[in-house]
Amino acid sequence: MAGNTAPATQQPVKHFNLVRCVAVCLLTLIVLVGLAVLITWLVIRPKRLVYTLENGSLQHFNLNNKHINATFDFVLMAYNPNTKTSVYYDSMESVVSYKDQTLAFDTIDPFHQPHRDTARVESKLVAQNLALSPSTYKDLRGEKSSGEIEVDVHYKSRVRFKVGMWKSKHRTLKIVCPSVKLHFSWSRHFENVPCEVEL
């Protein structure tokens, strides 16, 4: 009678083999994905995009009764140093601010930047009878008397990257050009400003 009973250890052994098989498959998949990412990175060799504010001017500047009217013109030079990656700027906007108060903004037409390319991005931002806080108005009047004002210029863009036939999903690109000095006199030369990038 006792010889007809099945071994009690057969089911746990099968369960253990299944778990080990799943674990090996998952580990193999992780290794393969890691190798694919590494090989892609080695082939593409991604480099950071470089942005420099190369020109800035101020026109029709007027302060009256705690309001500002002004036209800001900027030229941003965008350099893509990558040899295999191009960039699609699907939307872009620029903002000029003074001590955390936005003075004006502009939208920029979409464009495509090939690899190893330098793009010239122009923007014209107009402040029309914009109300200022009392402290901002006072500080701007003081800086105007010195012959220059110092502002921050921000760019925000929705970008995609293309390598061969592959295109990435949209990512938000933020560019900050801090402490930009704008002169009231045309005789004073604009100094280039290297910009910070957040992607």
Side-chain angles (χ1 to χ4, degrees):
M1 292 285 182
N4 295 331
T5 58
T9 58
Q10 187 174 2
Q11 190 65 26
V13 169
K14 287 184 178 180
H15 179 70
F16 177 76
N17 288 339
L18 179 62
V19 171
R20 185 170 61 179
C21 180
V22 170
V24 170
C25 289
L26 286 176
L27 182 61
T28 303
L29 182 61
I30 292 171
V31 171
L32 289 175
V33 170
L35 283 174
V37 171
L38 177 61
I39 292 171
T40 302
W41 185 87
L42 289 173
V43 170
I44 298 174
R45 296 279 182 154
K47 297 179 181 178
R48 289 181 65 87
L49 303 173
V50 180
Y51 301 92
T52 306
L53 201 65
E54 293 204 346
N55 196 16
S57 63
L58 178 61
Q59 304 172 50
H60 314 302
F61 186 87
N62 181 41
L63 292 172
N64 185 29
N65 196 25
K66 296 183 181 178
H67 287 71
I68 182 176
N69 288 281
T71 300
F72 303 87
D73 290 285
F74 297 107
V75 175
L76 179 74
M77 301 304 289
Y79 175 55
N80 176 12
N82 293 285
T83 57
K84 294 180 174 63
T85 305
S86 62
V87 187
Y88 286 87
Y89 295 81
D90 291 329
S91 67
M92 194 173 197
E93 62 181 28
S94 59
V95 174
V96 58
S97 62
Y98 178 83
K99 295 186 177 179
D100 296 328
Q101 179 167 0
T102 297
L103 301 181
F105 71 93
D106 184 31
T107 57
I108 298 164
D109 292 336
F111 64 97
H112 171 242
Q113 184 177 29
H115 52 81
R116 299 301 293 264
D117 177 77
T118 300
R120 178 185 175 92
V121 182
E122 298 182 2
S123 58
K124 181 184 289 290
L125 305 91
V126 180
Q128 291 184 329
N129 202 33
L130 176 71
L132 301 172
S133 67
S135 60
T136 299
Y137 180 76
K138 180 181 178 180
D139 291 342
L140 277 173
R141 288 194 64 178
E143 287 201 21
K144 182 182 178 182
S145 63
S146 71
E148 68 180 29
I149 64 171
E150 188 173 290
V151 298
D152 295 326
V153 184
H154 304 257
Y155 295 86
K156 185 177 180 180
S157 179
R158 294 278 287 169
V159 298
R160 290 174 297 155
F161 299 94
K162 182 180 180 182
V163 181
M165 299 298 293
W166 176 82
K167 286 184 182 179
S168 72
K169 294 181 180 180
H170 277 107
R171 300 184 65 180
T172 300
L173 171 70
K174 296 180 180 179
I175 306 165
V176 180
C177 310
S179 304
V180 179
K181 294 181 179 180
L182 301 176
H183 308 294
F184 289 95
S185 172
W186 287 97
S187 62
R188 299 187 64 179
H189 180 68
F190 180 83
E191 297 180 5
N192 292 357
V193 178
C195 303
E196 303 164 2
V197 182
E198 181 182 332
L199 184 62

